[in-house]
Amino acid sequence: MALTAEERVRATEDAVEQLREGLARVGVVLPSLRIDPLTCAGHVLYPLVDLGRCNLDMALRLVAVLAKTYGPEADASGGGTCACGCAGHQHV
């Protein structure tokens, strides 16, 4: 059964909140993070998430978090796992 427009918006709002919370746990704050209002009102399958803008410090923090989680050293050490819980990042 296909999701209704309201369910799609609710699912996207939940994803935005999870993303905001997850980023905050690693010290990254994207102040403009939100659902894109144009796609929310349109007929797209899922509304887009607008990551917005951030200052240089936040951009560098995000780069560091991504490098630590998904970079070559994470794969080589065997310590990194992706959001789905896999250990090898095979599905990137």
Side-chain angles (χ1 to χ4, degrees), residues 48-68:
L48 295 176
V49 173
D50 184 353
L51 298 176
R53 304 180 319 177
C54 64
N55 63 28
L56 177 59
D57 181 55
M58 282 298 116
L60 293 174
R61 286 184 193 195
L62 184 55
V63 167
V65 167
L66 292 172
K68 181 178 177 184

